[in-house]
Amino acid sequence: MAAVALHGGGEVLGVGMVSPIGLNGVSTAAAVRAGITRFRETEHLTREEEPLVMSLVADEYLPPLAEPLQDLELLSRHERMLKLAGLALRECLSDLPWSESLPLFLGLPEVLPGELVPAEPLPPFLDLLAVQSGRRWDKRSRLYAAGRAAGMVALQAALELLGSGKVPCVIVGGVDSYLDEALLALLRDENRLRAHGTYDGFIPGEGAAFLMLALAGTARKLKREPLAKLDVASIGKEPGHRYSREVYRGEGLAATFRDLFESAPSPAMPVRTVYAGLTGEGLHSKEWGVAYLRHQECFSEAFQLVHPADCLGDPGAALGPLMLGLAALGMRRGYRASTCLVWCSSDLESRGAALLSLPPPSRAAEARRQGTLLTGGR
């Protein structure tokens, strides 16, 4: 599928996230910047019968389920995801300037081969999340059960709707948790979980992240500064993914990069910061190497590579929106250089990437900055 680029870019007006290293966007970004981790041994075991190390949000920090949901027979994983998403949405929508319902494009976990699926379908997750968050969603809202790249798939669909001019704003997000007995057993049997003395494996985590996106110029009308400008997004498919019988060549991410860079506005280059979907498994390192080598002319010679999973583990379907939020906050606060490339890859075929940049300050913001300089910060 071709990349989606908006004329003038889409503005990031708000960010909300919750992770094992922070209960909001600012604290999570600060923890990643400082290299803080919250890895803990759990009651689950590795194949070597050692305690499995995970990265989880402490139970005492999660809100209770909304009262109408408390009598439903929810899977523990779904219940946890609802709590995580509700908490992150509250931050993202805390300063929402629109009273009407807005479209929500939400990334969710993919179903892996061999993973058990509940026989009785639950009510749509969007309906449950509306109850948990106390928000109503526009009828154009959609779910994308595409795993680690799900948020990027949701982002592209959101940008298409935003570019149509039919809505003033869209919400894009992702939520996931690996705290599930059956899923952990499947991953353990596949020898994918990091154990002591091993390097090829990931630390299971969890989290939720959301972004509020609007068309260029919206922030000025609202008399606020956008956190960042989202220039273009692209999604692709890897034919030789982890569970495929085809040969793995890393073509999916490389093609996603190609579509992304071909559609990017020329001022967006070169890339100076990369938020990478590296989780500790060698597969993703190899495809990143292929994609980078084929497009290295698009990167600054001294670009910075950031992989948040080193701090918060693998948050699954929350990874894409979480890294987009981290990139926006980092550029706005001045410790990440524009332009930022964000990419991530699912266990199955989905691949996704996006470019964010720091928009020039408005006249009002520049006047405030000059005033601060003249008064010595007083």
Side-chain angles (χ1 to χ4, degrees):
M1 181 181 290
V4 174
L6 295 180
H7 178 69
E11 294 179 337
V12 181
L13 300 185
V15 169
M17 64 181 74
V18 57
S19 74
I21 55 176
L23 298 180
N24 55 45
V26 172
S27 61
T28 298
V32 169
R33 186 184 182 193
I36 295 172
T37 65
R38 290 287 187 270
F39 301 154
R40 297 288 184 270
E41 290 186 349
T42 67
E43 61 185 13
H44 305 279
L45 300 178
T46 66
R47 292 184 66 179
E48 292 75 21
E49 300 298 318
E50 297 176 346
L52 175 64
V53 174
M54 298 185 70
S55 185
L56 303 171
V57 178
D59 289 343
E60 61 263 32
Y61 296 128
L62 293 177
L65 277 181
E67 187 174 348
L69 303 180
Q70 292 178 2
D71 292 332
L72 295 180
E73 294 185 2
L74 300 175
L75 294 178
S76 60
R77 185 186 188 188
H78 293 159
E79 180 177 327
R80 199 166 184 89
M81 287 165 57
L82 284 170
K83 293 178 179 179
L84 290 165
L87 195 59
L89 270 170
R90 189 175 304 128
E91 180 190 7
C92 181
L93 304 180
S94 61
D95 195 22
L96 184 66
W98 293 280
S99 58
E100 68 267 27
S101 58
L102 291 173
L104 171 63
F105 294 83
L106 180 62
L108 293 176
E110 61 195 339
V111 178
L112 302 180
E115 187 175 357
L116 297 176
V117 179
E120 294 296 328
L122 290 169
F125 195 85
L126 280 174
D127 294 342
L128 298 176
L129 186 54
V131 176
Q132 179 68 16
S133 64
R135 296 278 182 175
R136 292 183 297 111
W137 311 123
D138 182 279
K139 62 182 180 181
R140 286 163 288 200
S141 300
R142 293 290 182 272
L143 296 175
Y144 299 87
R148 206 174 291 107
M152 311 301 276
V153 179
L155 173 64
Q156 190 179 62
L159 290 180
E160 289 177 348
L161 177 60
L162 192 61
S164 71
K166 297 179 180 179
V167 294
C169 176
V170 295
I171 308 298
V172 178
V175 60
D176 202 346
S177 175
Y178 281 99
L179 190 55
D180 179 83
E181 287 278 2
L183 177 59
L184 290 173
L186 175 66
L187 296 170
R188 181 188 60 207
D189 291 344
E190 294 178 354
N191 203 27
R192 294 184 56 192
L193 303 178
R194 186 179 299 178
H196 293 293
T198 64
Y199 296 96
D200 191 349
F202 72 92
I203 294 176
E206 63 185 0
F210 294 87
L211 294 92
M212 185 191 306
L213 301 176
L215 289 172
T218 303
R220 184 179 67 253
K221 296 176 183 178
L222 298 172
K223 297 182 180 180
R224 61 165 67 177
E225 291 293 316
L227 291 174
K229 182 162 67 77
L230 209 158
D231 296 299
V232 60
S234 178
I235 57 174
K237 296 182 178 181
E238 171 55 58
H241 60 80
R242 178 179 296 278
Y243 295 97
S244 171
R245 293 184 178 181
E246 295 192 34
V247 177
Y248 167 68
R249 304 182 188 278
E251 299 288 347
L253 188 62
T256 303
F257 278 21
R258 180 198 63 217
D259 293 343
L260 186 80
F261 292 135
E262 287 179 351
S263 301
S266 55
M269 298 302 172
V271 171
R272 292 184 172 87
T273 305
V274 176
Y275 276 82
L278 300 173
T279 63
E281 294 189 277
L283 192 75
H284 303 308
S285 299
K286 292 175 183 176
E287 66 179 345
W288 156 244
V290 172
Y292 168 69
L293 288 174
R294 291 190 186 178
H295 302 92
Q296 56 185 317
E297 71 280 0
C298 299
F299 294 80
S300 166
E301 291 185 3
F303 75 90
Q304 182 181 22
L305 183 67
V306 186
H307 30 94
D310 274 2
C311 296
L312 48 84
D314 178 8
L319 181 60
L322 194 148
M323 291 196 297
L324 291 168
L326 292 176
L329 291 171
M331 287 190 295
R332 174 49 62 192
R333 290 174 175 261
Y335 60 85
R336 302 296 186 211
S338 176
T339 294
C340 276
L341 165 68
V342 177
W343 68 265
C344 49
S345 302
S346 298
D347 287 337
L348 297 177
E349 63 184 8
S350 296
R351 303 292 184 266
L355 289 176
L356 297 92
S357 60
L358 189 64
S362 65
R363 293 180 180 178
E366 184 62 21
R368 289 194 298 269
R369 188 182 73 85
Q370 292 295 338
T372 299
L373 293 175
L374 291 173
T375 59
R378 294 188 297 273

